[in-house]
Amino acid sequence: MKRAIYIRPVGDIAPKAIHWLQHDLRSYLNMPVEVMENMEIPGESFDPARGQFHSTRILKEILLEVPGDALKIQGIIAEDLHIPILTYVFGEAQLGGTASIVSLARLEQTFHGLPHDERLFFGRLHKESLHELGHNFGLVHCHDRRCLMYLSNTIMDVDLKGSGYCRQCFETILATMNGGR
C-alpha cells in the first residue's frame, strides 16, 4: 500500500493555501499528499487570557482521525498558536510521531502590520510545514542555518533559513519514509 502525507485543515482555511501546500509537499517529497475534510477547532484549545490556541490540545484531536494509509498528518490552522512555556509557536510536531500542526497566522505579513505578500507567505508556509514534518520524521533542530530544520524563534529566522533540508537531514527523512512511520 502506498502511504501518503495528509493535510488536515483546522477551522476555516483559504482553499488556495491548502491546495498550494498539497502541491508543494507532493513536489518536494515526491510522495502522495492528500487533503482531509476540515475539522472544527477544539473549543477547549482556546486560551482567552492569551487570545491564542494551545497547539498540543489540537494535536491530540488531529490524532483521533488518522487515515490507515497515513505516513504523517499535518494540521493547518489560521489561528495563532502557543504552548504554555512560549509566547507563540509557528507550529508543533510530535518528534518521531505521526502528527504536526502549522499556524498560518504569523506567516502572514498582515499579522506584522505589513501589506500582504503572497510569495513571501507561501515561502514561509513551505519552510514551516516541512520543518514540522521533519520533526515527525525524527529530526531535531539543525545547526546549519540554511537547513529547513534550523530553529526559528522569529519570523526573521524563518525568512533567513533556506528552502530545503541539508543533505544529512534529507537523507534521514528519505530513510524514514522508506522504512515506515
Side-chain angles (χ1 to χ4, degrees):
M1 172 171 55
K2 184 80 172 170
R3 302 177 77 187
I5 291 178
Y6 279 82
I7 297 172
R8 184 76 194 254
V10 181
D12 291 329
I13 303 285
K16 183 177 182 178
I18 296 299
H19 294 302
W20 183 91
L21 182 60
Q22 180 184 26
H23 175 75
D24 183 64
L25 293 178
R26 184 182 297 146
S27 297
Y28 190 84
L29 296 172
N30 192 29
M31 67 176 309
V33 177
E34 305 294 335
V35 177
M36 297 176 70
E37 289 186 25
N38 290 47
M39 63 176 264
E40 297 282 327
I41 300 173
E44 68 279 0
S45 66
F46 184 68
D47 183 335
R50 298 176 70 137
Q52 296 171 305
F53 291 82
H54 191 294
S55 56
T56 308
R57 292 181 183 154
I58 300 171
L59 273 180
K60 287 179 182 173
E61 292 294 319
I62 290 171
L63 284 165
L64 294 177
E65 290 184 47
V66 178
D69 65 338
L71 180 60
K72 305 293 175 194
I73 183 169
Q74 184 167 79
I76 302 295
I77 186 168
E79 307 299 332
D80 197 25
L81 298 176
H82 82 282
I83 57 174
I85 62 169
L86 295 174
T87 305
Y88 65 89
V89 292
F90 295 112
E92 182 180 352
Q94 297 178 298
L95 184 61
T98 303
S100 61
I101 186 165
V102 172
S103 167
L104 303 179
R106 292 179 188 262
L107 304 181
E108 281 279 2
Q109 284 289 80
T110 54
F111 185 90
H112 307 283
L114 299 168
H116 175 69
D117 183 329
E118 188 169 273
R119 188 173 146 268
L120 187 58
F121 170 74
F122 284 132
R124 290 170 174 172
L125 179 56
H126 166 87
K127 292 176 183 180
E128 290 311 298
S129 177
L130 286 166
H131 178 92
E132 297 305 336
L133 284 171
H135 287 313
N136 285 152
F137 285 113
L139 294 173
V140 294
H141 290 135
C142 182
H143 296 290
D144 183 343
R145 191 153 189 54
R146 297 164 296 172
C147 179
L148 284 171
M149 293 312 297
Y150 190 81
L151 174 64
S152 298
N153 285 319
T154 68
I155 197 65
M156 290 187 306
D157 293 333
V158 175
D159 292 342
L160 290 173
K161 68 181 170 183
S163 60
Y165 298 107
C166 69
R167 195 179 93 213
Q168 184 175 359
C169 286
F170 196 61
E171 287 175 358
T172 299
I173 286 176
L174 290 177
T176 305
M177 284 171 50
N178 294 327
R181 287 186 179 203

